[in-house]
Amino acid sequence: MAVLFVEYPKCSTCRKAKKWLEEHDVEFEDRDIVAENPTAGELADWCARSGLPARRFFNSSGIRYRELGLKAKLDAGMTDEECFALLGTDGMLVKRPLLVGDDFALPGFREAAWAGALGL
């Protein structure tokens, strides 16, 4: 099963996750989140696959997140559609790495969750 691995190549967590995928012989398509930012539609689909709230797809430790005051905006009740539209404008706002399969999407790297989703 080939999965989509969405990463920011300069991110140390993304590099660690990519190495983990390679060490576990996971076939994946690699996608640079800045060069090919996910669309609002992709993010909505991935969020649905994840079962998580839209706010979990934000890179809450990122500079842009803080510059835009997104915590307050999310807390004030941004709709999912507003979240996806905003995330679709700038890859640096999106939580990474993202691992996307046919029936799952996992924002952030947690080995146990990734292993479980991949059946390892």
Side-chain angles (χ1 to χ4, degrees), residues 54 77-84:
M78 279 180 75
T79 66
D80 287 353
E81 292 77 21
E82 291 170 329
C83 289
F84 302 136

Side-chain angles (χ1 to χ4, degrees), residues 90-101:
D90 184 350
M92 296 305 284
L93 290 173
V94 180
K95 177 83 173 167
R96 61 202 183 255
L98 267 164
L99 187 66
V100 182

Side-chain angles (χ1 to χ4, degrees), residues 21-80:
L21 289 171
E22 291 166 345
E23 288 172 349
H24 289 84
D25 297 319
V26 175
E27 183 180 337
F28 62 92
E29 175 189 341
D30 197 352
R31 181 168 162 187
D32 182 325
I33 202 163
V34 175
E36 191 180 347
N37 190 55
T39 66
E42 286 177 318
L43 290 157
D45 178 48
W46 298 344
C47 186
R49 290 184 208 187
S50 76
L52 298 170
R55 74 182 302 141
R56 290 281 305 275
F57 280 76
F58 280 92
N59 176 15
S60 59
S61 61
I63 295 168
R64 292 281 298 144
Y65 181 89
R66 290 190 300 276
E67 287 175 348
L68 296 172
L70 290 177
K71 181 179 183 330
K73 291 177 183 178
L74 288 165
D75 289 346
M78 279 180 75
T79 66
D80 287 353

